[in-house]
Amino acid sequence: QVTMKFYGKVLTLSACLWECSAFMTPKASSPALIGSQRTQTNMYTKENADMLPIDALWEDASSITVQGSTLRTCSLPVSVDKAQLLLKSEGRPLKSQVDLYHGPDYIPWNCAVYTEDGKKRPINLIVPSPLSGNTVAMQNTGFIEFPFSACAKVDSSSPRLENFYKKLSTEGTSKHVQGGAVNTTPFDQSVDSVQILLKTDGRHLKARIELLQGPNNLKQSFEVYSS
């Protein structure tokens, strides 16, 4: 049995869990979304043609290699308010600190990610970029033997990311997680992947999400902060 564990760390937040595919994270005064993808499901239908599968995004965008203990940055276009960031490895563990910089030293959003197997459970984040002058920094916090690949996809005119967020927020079932509380959601082996949407009433959001298999077998974790 697999368990998803939520840690609410500052304020009351609403958690919305939906079984399907792909993990995401947008604007935090609007919500933070995190997730991870293992297999594709039938959400990519003709009606949702703008919801491209992750494999197609990798083929469409150029990728870079981030070596262990190194930092890579990417400046986002002024016209973009969301960017999709994809991280994967060749089956090795993947650890990264992803920061959104607005200006030289202000970080309104960040996410520390870990996955035991970056090929089986790659990372898929939606990074908010509501103001101009934003830069995404990706630091490989793993050992030098554990590089990972990264690519970014921006949608300056397509509603793809916005449609994805709306679908999750309207079709999921939400619950409140009080500050300092721990909430767990078990699911069986028939579930390929899940989506999680976290949001507050406009105040700061700080949470940790863990994917556990068994009592102490950590497969994936996300530690999110959004101002």
Side-chain angles (χ1 to χ4, degrees):
Q1 187 181 61
V2 181
T3 302
M4 189 71 72
K5 184 178 289 187
F6 304 85
Y7 297 83
K9 287 195 175 177
V10 175
L11 302 167
T12 301
L13 56 87
S14 296
C16 172
L17 182 66
W18 187 32
E19 297 174 6
C20 83
S21 65
F23 255 28
M24 312 221 144
T25 59
K27 241 181 245 193
S29 49
S30 75
L33 246 153
I34 317 136
S36 140
Q37 177 165 344
R38 291 176 57 189
T39 57
Q40 302 296 334
T41 68
N42 61 358
M43 72 176 292
Y44 303 107
T45 59
K46 184 175 292 186
E47 292 76 14
N48 293 320
D50 55 341
M51 305 292 293
L52 295 177
I54 298 302
D55 290 343
L57 293 174
W58 275 104
E59 294 173 1
D60 187 49
S62 59
S63 63
I64 60 172
T65 299
V66 184
Q67 299 291 343
S69 303
T70 63
L71 174 71
R72 300 294 296 269
T73 61
C74 174
S75 296
L76 299 179
V78 175
S79 60
V80 171
D81 66 354
K82 292 184 184 70
Q84 187 169 9
L85 182 64
L86 309 174
L87 310 176
K88 68 178 181 180
S89 71
E90 294 300 322
R92 299 281 190 93
L94 188 161
K95 290 179 68 178
S96 180
Q97 174 73 31
V98 181
D99 296 317
L100 177 75
Y101 281 87
H102 181 64
D105 54 8
Y106 175 48
I107 303 177
W109 181 94
N110 63 42
C111 184
V113 299
Y114 164 78
T115 182
E116 182 186 60
D117 185 334
K119 185 176 183 180
K120 189 176 182 180
R121 297 181 181 88
I123 303 297
N124 178 8
L125 301 172
I126 300 301
V127 181
S129 180
L131 303 172
S132 61
N134 291 309
T135 299
V136 175
M138 297 166 288
Q139 182 177 5
N140 187 335
T141 54
F143 295 110
I144 194 170
E145 298 86 358
F146 299 146
F148 63 75
S149 299
C151 75
K153 176 73 174 176
V154 296
D155 293 324
S156 56
S157 59
S158 169
R160 181 178 63 90
L161 299 182
E162 191 64 30
N163 289 349
F164 189 89
Y165 161 68
K166 288 179 179 178
K167 184 177 180 67
L168 178 58
S169 60
T170 56
E171 295 190 15
T173 302
S174 66
K175 62 176 69 175
H176 287 285
V177 182
Q178 298 290 341
V182 178
N183 182 273
T184 60
T185 302
F187 47 92
D188 61 35
Q189 60 184 6
S190 64
V191 177
D192 288 327
S193 57
V194 298
Q195 295 171 334
I196 302 165
L197 169 66
L198 305 179
K199 63 181 179 179
T200 68
D201 57 2
R203 291 178 284 181
H204 297 298
L205 186 154
K206 190 175 183 182
R208 177 176 173 83
I209 299 172
E210 294 180 350
L211 177 67
L212 302 171
Q213 191 169 36
N216 296 303
N217 189 0
L218 179 65
K219 295 297 184 181
Q220 199 169 49
S221 69
F222 299 82
E223 193 147 0
V224 192
Y225 166 78
S226 182
S227 63

